[in-house]
Amino acid sequence: MPASALTDRVDAAVATGAEALFARQRADGAFVFGARRTSPLNTAGAVIALRFADPRGSAEAIGRGVAWLCRNQRDDGGWAMPGVPTEPLATAVAAAALQLTATGPTGPDHTPAGHPAPDHAGANPTGTAPDRAAVLRAALERLAALGGAEGLPEPAMAALCRQLHALAGLPYRGAPRRLPLELLLLPGLSRRLLSLRLPIFAAQALAQAEHRRRGPVGRALDRLAGPRALAVVRGAYEREGATGGFSTDPWLTALICLGLARSGRAPDLTAAAARWLRRAAGPDGSWDLMPLDVTWTNFATAALLEAGHAADPRLAATRAMLRAHQQKEPFDAFGCPPGFWGFSGPRSWPMALETAEAGSLLFRLPGGADDGHARDAIAWLTATQDSAGTWSLCVRDSKPGGFGPCPQMTAKAVGALLDSGAPPGDARVARALRRLAAVQRPDGSYEALWYRGGTAGTAAVLEALTRAGTTDAHRRAARRATDWLLRTRRADGSWGAGDGGPGTVEDTAWALRGLLAAGLPPDHPATAAAAHRLLEAQRADGGWPPSPVHEYIRGCARYADEGIATGLALRALAHYRTAARAQEAS
């Protein structure tokens, strides 16, 4: 296809894609994607939490959740989000939910604090669920075929599955993991080791301390640490407006609710969390993933700015929404200063990625140079930069792995600093790039906390290195990242995770933008083919189809997201159009 013809097609795709995004804009300026994202994992977790927290008051919600799990079991016996291969974590948690609601916990360590078992906790009000015993047998067979919970790449999730199966009386390998409640006596260390898991750990460790037998020293430590653990959970509860939900996430809320219920401590928090879970249930009895209002808005706005809509009056409401969702109070549970964003509402948990992206957008919108909210975002990023120069999820100097230093988040933070006017030689930027050059994988790729495979992280770091790199080490790292992207391009011109798997809209968009930022011209075979693939994938309504590239729980649970796919594809094509028009004019 002639270059000019391709550019004309890109023009049309950008125009229709932009209007497709604006069609999703709410009156308050947020971009939201309303299709339900029903989660078997969240449904099973909520059922288990309600079974322990308030089995009688939650009997209907429990029964409907169990019926949904039974109806939606896959032919292979397992569960996962739509479009995602069957996952051992969702399957293990669903099996525990089915067993717990069928028989009730057994033994002294398994009694829900203060609540007898309901008469019909697992009944299906509609009468349409398949035979639950057969569903459970198939689930356990599938779990074994997947390698069991022990095969999960995240040790904390493997330990959780052992705990849940122990509670349910199901077979499991290995001993349930002891959660050292005394770790909470060291606030700084516990934050760095646990990060986002800190309130979950606190609640679960309280439950374990209530039931585990320990010697005199252990009991004394538990007595000392118990109030600290409760303060962590209660602090997060009150910080979020005492709604009962934690980070607007059914999975996190269920885990905290379960721990508190089994501990017998803070019954008011347990009851509030149970009420929140019941309200969050869908009409079919299932629970969704958490909402992503800020994340969706960030992706959509970044795409629309790239497409030339910076002065569009419709984005004035979006700027106001982003400002309103910035959190002006510290989040003491994580030791976080004010000035951050979470992924959903104005009280969700702090996220470095959303903070970097929202701050960058505010700087790039009209009047951004004088935007105090954008400056507060930069102050937050400056305060939370790891001592090595990277950024972790929300706690400075978090333990590597889990929610620790992330190259993609670090690259996004560098981008926000540059958008704020910081020069490439700025000390914060220089430290970040020096560390990014040092942690590049031997094959030239980079990882990303929230996305599977190497394409997302490699493309983001490549853009940061190209924008601000000033040393030979930076240039070598950029060349190696470019080479990795070119090597992993699929024969059809698309990109996937870099492991030989299928191409996706998201990975192709990341790669296209990264390669253009690195200086590859729009008529290069790789960039032209990527643009063509994105054009071919665009739907009639102007949006793009999603693929399960997003990590809900790292390595254990994934999902697809239409809003992110559309935002990424539109932004990449708009960047391609700008480069192509510049090339034509030269």
Side-chain angles (χ1 to χ4, degrees):
M1 178 185 299
S4 59
L6 179 59
T7 308
D8 289 342
R9 287 190 62 195
V10 170
D11 264 335
V14 168
T16 56
E19 292 308 314
L21 283 179
F22 275 123
R24 299 290 193 147
Q25 189 182 30
R26 254 185 350 216
D28 67 354
F31 291 83
V32 294
F33 293 79
R36 288 195 63 197
R37 301 177 302 150
T38 305
S39 167
L41 176 64
N42 286 7
T43 299
V47 164
I48 293 171
L50 292 174
R51 170 64 183 83
F52 280 87
D54 184 9
R56 289 195 184 280
S58 304
E60 181 179 358
I62 292 169
R64 288 170 60 81
V66 167
W68 186 91
L69 288 170
C70 291
R71 290 196 307 272
N72 288 275
Q73 185 180 38
R74 294 180 171 179
D75 291 342
D76 66 5
W79 288 266
M81 292 282 291
V84 182
T86 295
E87 294 175 329
L89 178 60
T91 303
V93 178
L98 293 170
Q99 177 71 2
L100 279 165
T101 54
T103 63
T106 58
D109 186 35
H110 305 148
T111 304
H115 292 289
D119 295 335
H120 304 288
N124 172 24
T126 65
T128 60
D131 177 66
R132 181 159 51 180
V135 171
L136 178 57
R137 284 195 302 271
L140 294 175
E141 290 172 2
R142 183 58 181 159
L143 181 61
L146 291 169
E150 294 73 20
L152 289 169
E154 176 53 62
M157 291 299 103
L160 173 67
C161 290
R162 285 195 296 272
Q163 173 197 338
L164 295 178
H165 282 215
L167 290 174
L170 291 172
Y172 59 93
R173 294 199 295 272
R177 179 181 175 187
R178 188 179 87 80
L179 304 177
L181 186 63
E182 61 270 19
L183 180 60
L184 278 297
L185 295 172
L186 303 169
L189 178 62
S190 61
R191 287 171 183 152
R192 291 192 299 273
L193 290 177
L194 298 168
S195 185
L196 188 75
R197 295 195 183 105
L198 179 60
I200 303 168
F201 178 96
Q204 294 287 335
L206 281 170
Q208 199 177 79
E210 181 69 22
H211 296 290
R212 270 190 185 273
R213 293 182 178 179
R214 299 193 71 190
V217 174
R219 291 196 298 272
L221 287 172
D222 285 348
R223 286 194 296 272
L224 285 172
R228 170 62 190 164
L230 276 177
V232 166
V233 179
R234 190 173 291 280
Y237 167 79
E238 293 174 351
R239 171 67 178 68
E240 295 183 70
T243 64
F246 291 87
S247 199
T248 62
D249 188 335
W251 175 245
L252 296 185
T253 303
L255 294 181
I256 292 171
C257 181
L258 172 62
L260 291 175
R262 293 190 62 242
S263 76
R265 312 277 285 266
D268 59 322
L269 300 190
T270 303
R275 287 194 298 272
W276 188 92
L277 286 171
R278 288 195 294 268
R279 290 195 302 269
D284 61 355
S286 66
W287 277 262
D288 288 355
L289 289 181
M290 68 288 179
L292 294 174
D293 289 17
V294 173
T295 304
W296 286 322
T297 299
N298 284 347
F299 276 87
T301 307
L304 291 167
L305 290 178
E306 194 83 57
H309 288 271
D312 194 308
R314 290 173 288 185
L315 289 183
T318 298
R319 179 174 55 187
M321 173 265 176
L322 288 173
R323 288 170 166 173
H325 279 63
Q326 187 179 35
Q327 302 189 43
K328 295 296 189 176
E329 299 173 3
F331 206 116
D332 292 333
F334 301 114
C336 279
F340 61 86
W341 280 266
F343 52 70
S344 56
R347 290 184 178 270
S348 56
W349 291 7
M351 301 283 163
L353 184 57
E354 273 71 16
T355 301
E357 291 176 334
S360 178
L361 292 173
L362 289 177
F363 277 116
R364 292 161 56 205
L365 283 163
D370 300 318
D371 195 312
H373 292 78
R375 289 194 298 272
D376 288 345
I378 295 301
W380 189 89
L381 290 171
T382 300
T384 57
Q385 186 175 22
D386 296 333
S387 56
T390 47
W391 273 267
S392 300
L393 179 68
C394 62
V395 176
R396 185 174 186 268
D397 290 331
S398 289
K399 173 187 175 183
F403 300 117
C406 170
Q408 191 240 6
M409 284 196 295
T410 299
K412 291 290 187 177
V414 167
L417 289 168
L418 296 173
D419 288 338
S420 76
D426 181 275
R428 297 162 296 180
V429 173
R431 289 170 55 219
L433 294 189
R434 184 166 56 248
R435 186 60 182 166
L436 286 174
V439 300
Q440 189 172 32
R441 290 167 169 167
D443 64 1
S445 68
Y446 288 92
E447 65 176 339
L449 171 61
W450 293 125
Y451 306 105
R452 64 98 176 89
T455 305
T458 305
V461 174
L462 177 57
E463 183 173 355
L465 289 168
T466 302
R467 286 186 69 184
T470 58
T471 70
D472 288 342
H474 299 157
R475 286 185 281 273
R476 284 194 299 271
R479 283 196 299 270
R480 296 177 66 227
T482 301
D483 290 345
W484 185 87
L485 286 173
L486 293 174
R487 266 198 327 272
T488 56
R489 182 167 70 107
R490 292 170 45 79
D492 64 1
S494 68
W495 271 265
D499 57 3
T504 72
V505 164
E506 296 89 342
D507 288 302
T508 304
W510 278 316
L512 174 57
R513 184 171 170 80
L515 291 173
L516 289 170
L520 266 68
D523 58 357
H524 187 283
T527 53
H532 180 75
R533 294 303 304 174
L534 292 177
L535 291 173
E536 292 298 310
Q538 189 175 27
R539 298 186 312 230
D541 65 1
W544 277 266
S547 297
V549 303
H550 309 288
E551 299 274 17
Y552 180 49
I553 299 173
R554 197 174 193 182
C556 301
R558 291 185 178 141
Y559 66 99
D561 191 281
E562 177 188 355
I564 296 176
T566 297
L568 285 170
L570 177 59
R571 191 179 187 198
L573 284 176
H575 191 99
Y576 178 89
R577 179 182 66 177
T578 299
R581 293 301 188 209
Q583 186 179 57
E584 291 170 4
S586 63

